Amino acid sequence: MKASIIVFPGSNCDRDIAVSIKKLTTLEPIMVWHKETSIPDSDLIVIPGGFTFGDYLRCGSIAANSPIMKDVIKKATDGAPTLGICNGFQILTESGLLPGTLIKNDCLSFLCKTVSIRVENNQTNFSKKYKQNEIINIPIAHNEGNFFANENTLEKIKDSNQIVFKYCNQNGEVNNETNPNGSIENIAGITNEQGNVLGMMPHPERATCEITKLSDGENLFKSISEFLL
Amino acid sequence: MKLNVKIMPKNGVLDPQGKAIENSLSQLGFKNFSEIRQGKIIEIDIDADKDQAINITDEMCKKLLVNLIIEDYEIIFDREE
């Protein structure tokens, strides 16, 4: 079983995610350059974090139009499990695979810290190993992580139970004070309506090794692995 | 055919950059201004007549240049022919 990790100019979390996948799943990570036009046979597609194309125009907008994205869109639409982290989340919204978009943090600064997020939906293939409402600690590192969607879109997202993670504090409280970047309703991660595509701003791959003293990201990879077996 | 695409944040969408500029201008002592918003201008030279140029630019905007969830755009010609 294989996981295709899409690599763009400016991707910088591709190796980290490969290490996490190797350590915590039964998948063999393979790197796929953005200029390829088809993804090799694989069980998971990953769009890693980074600053693709220097964040020119809008974060993720240029990458969303890279040659490989046609096949990513086709396969994800057909139901392929697809995970986008940070810039990967931005690319997924820019490509139309996920609703809404990500705008500049309302604090106007780049945020690089570990935050608490609450598992809002543990019924997805990415979150099954977490408990419902579990509070986990995962690092964020972004300048444009402020999730925005218009009212209709937001209603649809909520009605279809697409919110997977929300920013909170250590006690699980979700409010303005526990919102690091201004995201609507503290949204930190969502799936598409079908549930096979997850985008999230926090970096689970940075919470899977002893060096960071964080391990709460491990269950995300274990969830994927369990579901694919 | 030279033209500009003016892209602005939609009304009601938070524009943190506009707010930051507003705050800085206030600190500099400027008064009696409000509603500063920051957008961008993209210059394009298209080898086509005006109607075609509008159609092509419109397609460019929808496919790449503009995120219609948060931005509005306007196509502006350098000079009226």
Side-chain angles (χ1 to χ4, degrees):
Chain A
M1 301 224 293
K2 291 184 175 116
S4 284
I5 301 170
I6 315 295
V7 185
F8 301 88
S11 295
N12 64 8
C13 300
D14 44 329
R15 304 283 150 181
D16 298 30
I17 200 104
V19 170
S20 298
I21 285 173
K22 219 167 190 170
K23 181 181 163 190
L24 297 160
T25 75
T26 47
L27 299 165
E28 181 204 334
I30 40 176
M31 299 297 175
V32 179
W33 184 235
H34 76 116
K35 284 204 169 158
E36 300 290 327
T37 49
S38 71
I39 299 171
D41 263 347
S42 44
D43 305 275
L44 174 71
I45 300 168
V46 182
I47 307 190
F51 300 86
T52 51
F53 298 91
D55 281 345
Y56 290 176
L57 191 63
R58 294 178 310 279
C59 299
S61 63
I62 312 266
N65 290 287
S66 270
I68 194 68
M69 286 307 292
K70 265 196 186 145
D71 203 34
V72 171
I73 291 167
K74 186 180 174 294
K75 290 200 160 78
T77 307
D78 287 347
T82 305
L83 169 65
I85 296 164
C86 198
N87 190 218
F89 185 9
Q90 294 163 340
I91 293 167
L92 289 175
T93 61
E94 280 286 344
S95 66
L97 283 170
L98 288 175
T101 189
L102 294 136
I103 60 174
K104 217 169 265 291
N105 298 340
D106 67 349
C107 60
L108 283 174
S109 55
F110 187 91
L111 294 169
C112 183
K113 59 180 182 182
T114 299
V115 296
S116 297
I117 55 175
R118 197 172 73 187
V119 179
E120 299 291 311
N121 179 1
N122 74 340
Q123 297 302 304
T124 78
N125 295 329
F126 305 93
S127 59
K128 280 204 166 97
K129 298 288 272 186
Y130 294 108
K131 294 190 193 77
Q132 182 70 17
N133 295 325
E134 186 175 341
I135 300 150
I136 58 175
N137 297 312
I138 309 276
I140 53 168
H142 60 245
N143 197 42
E144 282 86 2
N146 181 347
F147 182 77
F148 176 84
N150 64 31
E151 263 174 50
N152 287 345
T153 307
L154 184 64
E155 281 311 307
K156 268 192 209 157
I157 291 170
K158 284 156 73 170
D159 287 350
S160 322
N161 216 8
Q162 289 170 246
I163 302 171
V164 184
F165 302 112
K166 278 188 178 182
Y167 300 107
C168 64
N169 60 13
Q170 298 272 339
N171 302 322
E173 288 160 329
V174 172
N175 55 42
N176 283 345
E177 274 144 43
T178 64
N179 188 342
N181 55 23
S183 290
I184 285 188
E185 303 213 6
N186 288 41
I187 289 173
I190 56 165
T191 62
N192 62 343
E193 207 178 335
Q194 296 74 20
N196 65 300
V197 179
L198 171 71
M200 61 190 293
M201 287 314 293
H203 286 269
E205 80 281 12
R206 295 188 190 179
T208 60
C209 73
E210 281 162 25
I211 304 168
T212 60
K213 307 253 187 274
L214 295 166
S215 57
D216 289 351
E218 289 180 355
N219 274 341
L220 186 129
F221 296 96
K222 287 180 184 167
S223 300
I224 295 169
S225 197
E226 192 176 277
F227 142 73
L228 289 173
L229 276 179
Chain B
M1 175 74 48
K2 282 190 177 176
L3 54 87
N4 292 333
V5 180
K6 179 184 166 192
I7 302 168
M8 293 300 292
K10 265 191 208 299
N11 281 330
V13 172
L14 180 78
D15 174 21
Q17 294 179 114
K19 279 269 169 287
I21 294 166
E22 215 169 289
N23 289 342
S24 191
L25 287 171
S26 292
Q27 281 167 23
L28 287 168
F30 288 99
K31 291 191 175 81
N32 304 324
F33 70 90
S34 62
E35 314 261 338
I36 289 192
R37 297 191 305 139
Q38 183 187 315
K40 55 194 154 199
I41 299 262
I42 296 175
E43 288 182 353
I44 310 176
D45 193 351
I46 297 180
D47 191 11
D49 66 33
K50 192 170 175 177
D51 284 349
Q52 282 177 317
I54 289 173
N55 286 339
I56 294 164
T57 309
D58 220 41
E59 206 184 333
M60 286 175 173
C61 287
K62 287 178 178 134
K63 283 197 170 156
L64 177 66
L65 301 180
V66 182
N67 182 337
L68 293 168
I69 301 172
I70 47 167
E71 295 168 326
D72 287 325
Y73 68 96
E74 193 183 336
I75 299 168
I76 301 164
F77 287 87
D78 266 3
R79 57 192 157 87
E80 289 302 322
E81 305 278 326

